[in-house]
Amino acid sequence: MAQTTAVASLSRRRQRFVVLFFVCLFTFGSYFCFDTPGALGSLLERGPMKLSATEFNLLYSVYAWPNVVLVFLGGFFIDTFGSRPCSVVLSLITLIGQLITTTGVFCKSFKLLLVGRFLFGSGSESLNVCQSTIVSHWFQGSELAMAFGFSLTVSRLGSIIAFNILPSYSERFGLSSAFLLGGLLCSVSFVATLCFVYVDRKAEEELNFTMTQIDQGNTSLSNVEHKFSSKAIFPLSFWLGSIAGMSVYAIFFSFIAIGTDLFQREFDVAGSTAGFLVSLIYNVSMFLAPVLGKLLDLYGYRGITIGLAVMLTSLSLHILSNSFHSMNVFHSFSRMQILYSCSIFLGLGLSGISSALWPSLAICVNPQSLATAIGIAQALQNLGTSLTTFFMGIIIDRKGYRQSLRFLEMIGMFSCCVVFVWNILDRFGEDRINKPTEQLEEIEELRQPLALESEIQLQGKLMIVPVTPRVVVLVRQRLLGPRGESGVVRRNYYAKIGIQ
Ligand SMILES: C[C@H](NC(=O)[C@@H](N)CCCCN)C(=O)O
């Protein structure tokens, strides 16, 4: 029996990383497609589609608008029906949306293009929520930020490929083939969701078997399903983090959408270099995300990292808006040096924000309503992005790029204030977002006297190893050494067996 559980725990760990592999691929295709208009920039504006800046930015607004509501509903559905069916349905909607977008480009119909982007956005954003929820549930404990980091790396790869290959690809094969390539990558993501469903189901079946053996059926899965949708009260800390995410992501997505065109028109940079400069933001973030994730797990400082990242982002925008061709404020540097430095700074900013924000939000809320919480955060993010890209289009058409960067700078300052208040309130309140993961676990354990009592009833020899939110394995402590696993996970387990 002892050997069986040891082998089981090892295979759980392997399963976790197999799941991570497929879950990382969920958003690979959708990130490629999200950034396709940005990567093609001037080709959409000056090519056969002849879009104005307002119309071009509408491609991003229409992606984000429905999600102000839908992504919240998506989170709720994921909490209620589980991530397996939801991931498949959402991935399919994303794929269909991209195929309609492609048809729109093929038929040169702007309306169809908008319908496609609308549907694509509706699936893709909730798929993001699904991805974050699955990662949080499988990895809550010691490797959460790192696992988030890996999923970001693969997603960013999709964006980087778009920015680097699409301009030359579409010149060679045409605009609609560029969009069709996105459809192909979305199919890869769809297959990945099917593989995830298979692995996750298998893990659950194995676990059911193990649990019946060890726990004599005390942990009915339906119990947990039921409890999942029942708690949805979020602390102030969560709301502040979500507002910070809303404003700061609005800056990035708006900047990345107009970046290629901005560099070409205002800084006289060639098309391929302009695309490379924008993708540099994603490149930095792609390589840094897992490393930063590991460091954040080990040392904490998530809130402080977000604060520094927002400051760096605002500083880069300030430098850029003061470096247009008519200006010579930073005359000791060449224009290209300034552009490369700003892109790298923005990449560092995006890395800090994306690696620290999502784990911080996950820490702030009850795991039972995690998907709903992430859904709310993403809904706010979409609200920010839709409004910002919409106004950016109008500002660019009426006042030009420089004023649009000033507008983003103002949003940057607002974000700095929110992150500052968030850090202060957290420090004098729950004091969680800047703590290393290990210390968070200790705090959780101190808060769970009932849970410990229950553990004694289970002979004091048992510990709990995370597998999924609904899947927890009891393993004999002596097989794994004295250091217990996450208190957060323990809390999941007690939620599962009905102890609050
Ligand atoms: C994780 C985060 N992504 C999001 O928040 C998505 N809502 C946006 C997806 C847009 C695709 N580039 C991130 O990318 O850091």
Side-chain angles (χ1 to χ4, degrees):
M1 176 69 171
Q3 262 173 355
T4 318
T5 37
V7 171
S9 84
L10 264 176
S11 87
R12 296 290 159 214
R13 195 176 158 75
R14 209 171 306 135
Q15 260 168 356
R16 274 215 296 260
F17 284 94
V18 174
V19 163
L20 184 62
F21 174 77
F22 291 123
V23 171
C24 284
L25 285 173
F26 276 21
T27 46
F28 174 65
S30 65
Y31 271 56
F32 177 95
C33 299
F34 173 84
D35 285 310
T36 299
L40 295 172
S42 52
L43 287 172
L44 278 171
E45 290 180 352
R46 287 176 225 136
M49 296 293 298
K50 293 211 172 21
L51 304 183
S52 70
T54 308
E55 283 173 331
F56 176 82
N57 276 275
L58 211 54
L59 293 179
Y60 284 89
S61 307
V62 94
Y63 169 99
W65 279 341
N67 285 306
V68 178
V69 178
L70 285 184
V71 91
F72 165 72
L73 285 180
F76 181 77
F77 282 135
I78 295 163
D79 273 340
T80 309
F81 299 111
S83 40
R84 284 200 296 250
C86 291
S87 61
V88 176
V89 172
L90 293 169
S91 186
L92 196 60
I93 296 176
T94 308
L95 173 62
I96 295 172
Q98 180 60 19
L99 293 179
I100 295 178
T101 310
T102 310
T103 315
V105 178
F106 188 73
C107 305
K108 295 193 188 61
S109 157
F110 184 61
K111 277 191 192 133
L112 205 53
L113 196 63
L114 289 183
V115 173
R117 281 294 277 188
F118 179 92
L119 199 62
F120 166 71
S122 311
S124 143
E125 282 295 288
S126 295
L127 188 61
N128 243 291
V129 177
C130 202
Q131 183 189 51
S132 306
T133 310
I134 296 166
V135 169
S136 302
H137 282 151
W138 274 83
F139 286 86
Q140 201 153 54
S142 57
E143 293 152 330
L144 181 61
M146 194 183 69
F148 265 121
F150 277 119
S151 69
L152 282 171
T153 297
V154 178
S155 307
R156 299 271 181 263
L157 191 64
S159 301
I160 291 169
I161 295 176
F163 276 104
N164 287 291
I165 69 148
L166 278 184
S168 50
Y169 183 89
S170 63
E171 260 167 33
R172 196 150 169 221
F173 300 106
L175 268 184
S176 32
S177 316
F179 280 82
L180 192 61
L181 186 61
L184 199 71
L185 297 184
C186 283
S187 327
V188 172
S189 295
F190 179 65
V191 173
T193 56
L194 297 179
C195 295
F196 157 75
V197 169
Y198 174 76
V199 178
D200 192 68
R201 179 168 295 147
K202 224 167 147 243
E204 190 173 84
E205 278 165 13
E206 279 171 22
L207 177 80
N208 268 339
F209 177 71
T210 317
M211 298 215 27
T212 332
Q213 279 192 325
I214 301 174
D215 210 22
Q216 297 300 314
N218 191 16
T219 54
S220 128
L221 285 172
S222 51
N223 257 353
V224 191
E225 294 281 6
H226 183 70
K227 282 170 177 293
F228 257 57
S229 54
S230 63
K231 277 198 178 175
I233 301 159
F234 303 117
L236 179 61
S237 189
F238 163 78
W239 292 107
L240 285 171
S242 302
I243 293 172
M246 169 180 89
S247 52
V248 79
Y249 267 110
I251 299 177
F252 279 106
F253 292 146
S254 307
F255 181 81
I256 287 167
I258 60 156
T260 314
D261 225 31
L262 167 85
F263 289 139
Q264 277 177 272
R265 286 180 193 218
E266 303 293 341
F267 294 91
D268 304 322
V269 171
S272 55
T273 316
F276 178 74
L277 277 167
V278 176
S279 78
L280 199 54
I281 304 175
Y282 283 140
N283 269 299
V284 174
S285 167
M286 178 179 114
F287 288 111
L288 222 57
V291 182
L292 208 53
K294 181 80 193 161
L295 293 175
L296 292 168
D297 277 333
L298 276 177
Y299 302 108
Y301 300 116
R302 296 172 202 84
I304 292 174
T305 305
I306 298 171
L308 292 175
V310 176
M311 282 195 259
L312 198 59
T313 304
S314 306
L315 179 73
S316 322
L317 291 171
H318 183 72
I319 296 176
L320 267 184
S321 67
N322 284 294
S323 312
F324 275 46
H325 20 226
S326 52
M327 321 224 151
N328 54 1
V329 179
F330 302 101
H331 44 101
S332 47
F333 295 96
S334 78
R335 177 159 300 138
M336 284 319 282
Q337 279 173 333
I338 291 177
L339 296 188
Y340 274 102
S341 313
C342 285
S343 289
I344 292 172
F345 287 164
L346 285 171
L348 291 173
L350 181 60
S351 313
I353 286 150
S354 50
S355 305
L357 181 76
W358 303 104
S360 301
L361 293 180
I363 286 167
C364 290
V365 300
N366 188 322
Q368 290 165 338
S369 31
L370 185 62
T372 312
I374 295 177
I376 292 174
Q378 293 272 9
L380 287 173
Q381 187 209 65
N382 278 284
L383 177 67
T385 306
S386 58
L387 289 175
T388 313
T389 46
F390 178 72
F391 285 116
M392 286 282 285
I394 295 177
I395 297 174
I396 294 169
D397 274 340
R398 293 195 183 159
K399 303 210 163 166
Y401 279 100
R402 185 149 182 261
Q403 285 309 319
S404 73
L405 286 189
R406 290 244 184 271
F407 173 59
L408 293 186
E409 252 184 277
M410 273 164 47
I411 302 179
M413 281 173 216
F414 168 77
S415 316
C416 285
C417 299
V418 178
V419 175
F420 180 74
V421 175
W422 184 23
N423 271 283
I424 297 289
L425 285 184
D426 178 78
R427 176 70 190 81
F428 294 103
E430 292 262 291
D431 196 11
R432 296 167 72 93
I433 58 171
N434 285 307
K435 285 263 188 294
T437 312
E438 206 168 294
Q439 278 184 35
L440 284 171
E441 289 163 22
E442 281 161 18
I443 295 171
E444 279 302 321
E445 280 172 18
L446 285 174
R447 284 182 187 158
Q448 299 283 343
L450 239 180
L452 289 173
E453 216 171 86
S454 168
E455 191 168 4
I456 290 162
Q457 282 172 19
L458 293 170
Q459 299 180 354
K461 284 181 183 169
L462 298 175
M463 60 172 288
I464 295 136
V465 176
V467 181
T468 75
R470 295 162 288 123
V471 181
V472 181
V473 183
L474 294 168
V475 180
R476 292 195 184 276
Q477 192 161 22
R478 66 190 154 87
L479 291 175
L480 292 180
R483 208 180 141 269
E485 288 267 341
S486 151
V488 178
V489 172
R490 187 170 301 192
R491 189 177 58 187
N492 275 349
Y493 171 72
Y494 290 113
K496 185 178 169 64
I497 60 173
I499 300 167
Q500 290 295 310

